[in-house]
Amino acid sequence: MGAWNKRDDMLVHSLEPYNAEPAPAAVAGQPITPLDTFYSRNHGAIPVLDPATWHLAVDGLVDHPLQLSLTDLRNRFEQHTVTATLLCAGNRRAELMAVRDIPGQTPWRSAAISTARWTGARLRDVLDAAGLHPDARHVAFTAADLITTLDPPGPFGGSIPAGKATAGEVLLAWQMNDDPLPAVHGGPVRVVVPGYIGARSIKWVHRITAQQQPSGNHFQTADYRLLPPDADPGTTPPGDGLSLGAAALNAAILTPADGTALTAGTHTVSGYAIPGEHRRIARVDVSADAGRTWQQAVTDPAPGPWAWTLWHTTVDLPPGPAEIAARAWDDAATTQPERPEPLWNPLGYLNTAWSRVHLHTHPARGSRPAGPGRG
Ligand SMILES: Nc1nc2c(c(=O)[nH]1)N[C@H]1C(S)=C(S)[C@@H](COP(=O)(O)O)O[C@H]1N2
Ligand SMILES: [Mo]
């Protein structure tokens, strides 16, 4: 067992703050990711909060500001469960870093993404109880962690548009896969914003503020933004670039792992696909020859409208080097860009290029070499 009750085979990018993604084979083929396998992304030390003293303030542009304990939240609001995939905006950044370095950022591979059954109260119900003003345009969240890399140090935070906050799928969750929400995932209570980048699913939330403007928190104004390629993140003023919210169409190969040596023959290729917000995965294509020809993968039904689609297929690999590629299409016939180069951005977000793994296959033991027979 590794740190924070995670599997030993997690790829731990850093222990403090704890940033880890599962081994690709550990997430593959499982619609719901077990707690010991779920990726975790943290900007500061993980606060271990006492559920008995935890309180949530709801304030700002509301008629009746609220102060709720965990018991209030559980007793006063109907309980809902949503199966949702959480994905880091930096997922697959390592491939962007191979194009051009991105200093100071975590080199996530393809598994900064996982799916859980989240249970809690609807944010909409809590905002209704507080009497959300119709002129509130954003709902901001403040967390209980302290990010010491900020100057001055402060908490993590962010916001979502009021329309999303009241859409019904957004939860204040206290359970994950039917267990109490673990501290590393934001316990006792976190926000879960299905369809948005993970950074908007604020962990250890203790304040919700309805307001006219997006959150002024660093992670809304200066981080988690798509900057133009020529911007210098060190000097870019807050508010520049595109603020990231809704997730984008993406897919990645999980097995076989990149760099694996295999015996020539038939092999299963598997992975995940994730649609942009309000879209569906229509098809996943796999190529065994670096994108010259394609075959359709089998897609499993998504475990819920806010969750990934798992897919698999078999490919025949002759002896020698092989490059497998995968790309998804959504129900608006949008597909992924072929290469990461045109997607490169200074903070390394939203790499949605075709997923590729490079393999080497050797002839099956005892098989005859191809070509003219000997003897
Ligand atoms: N308070 C707080 N919330 C946070 C973060 C954080 O560092 N502090 N990280 C965010 C980011 S960038 C992601 S991708 C998800 C990761 O959630 P997980 O650790 O449960 O996988 O939490 C988000 N919520
Ligand atoms: Mo993230």
Side-chain angles (χ1 to χ4, degrees), residues 51-141:
T53 55
W54 176 86
H55 271 82
L56 177 67
V58 183
D59 58 18
L61 298 172
V62 295
D63 289 332
H64 329 283
L66 303 175
Q67 185 75 24
L68 301 166
S69 67
L70 181 55
T71 312
D72 296 335
L73 196 61
R74 297 182 73 125
N75 293 347
R76 285 183 51 184
F77 302 96
E78 206 179 296
Q79 183 171 306
H80 292 273
T81 297
V82 176
T83 298
T85 299
L86 206 65
L87 67 154
C88 188
N91 189 33
R92 306 185 58 206
R93 181 184 284 127
E95 298 160 58
L96 296 177
M97 289 172 141
V99 172
R100 194 169 134 207
D101 192 25
I102 301 172
Q105 298 284 344
T106 305
W108 297 106
R109 301 203 196 158
S110 299
I113 180 167
S114 301
T115 300
R117 280 169 46 83
W118 308 96
T119 301
R122 280 186 171 143
L123 178 59
R124 175 170 73 193
D125 294 346
V126 173
L127 292 172
D128 275 352
L132 181 66
H133 290 186
D135 55 339
R137 299 197 32 218
H138 298 269
V139 174
F141 310 108

Side-chain angles (χ1 to χ4, degrees), residues 26-27 53 121 123 192 265 299-300 320 322:
V27 249
T53 55
L123 178 59
V192 176
T299 51
D300 298 337

Side-chain angles (χ1 to χ4, degrees), residues 39 41-43 87-91 93 108 112 156 197-200 224 349:
Y39 87 99
R41 203 279 179 254
N42 299 286
H43 289 269
L87 67 154
C88 188
N91 189 33
R93 181 184 284 127
W108 297 106
F156 191 89
I197 61 162
R200 306 302 174 225
Y224 293 99
Y349 293 125

Side-chain angles (χ1 to χ4, degrees), residues 24-34 254-255 270-272 300 308 310-312:
V27 249
Q30 306 197 73
I32 307 289
T33 315
L254 291 171
T255 67
S270 73
Y272 62 80
D300 298 337
W308 58 13
L310 299 181
W311 55 265
H312 60 94

Side-chain angles (χ1 to χ4, degrees), residues 38-44 86-89 118 143-145 147 156 176 184-185 190 198-204 224:
F38 205 103
Y39 87 99
S40 187
R41 203 279 179 254
N42 299 286
H43 289 269
L86 206 65
L87 67 154
C88 188
W118 308 96
D145 50 355
I147 316 301
F156 191 89
M176 187 177 179
V184 67
H185 294 295
R190 80 177 299 167
R200 306 302 174 225
S201 289
I202 311 295
K203 304 193 272 190
W204 315 291
Y224 293 99

Side-chain angles (χ1 to χ4, degrees), residues 249-250 273-275 279-284 299 309 328-331:
L249 174 68
N250 210 339
I274 167 109
R279 296 271 174 90
R280 295 281 164 268
I281 295 297
R283 196 176 93 204
V284 176
T299 51
T309 291
W329 296 76
D330 70 16
D331 55 354

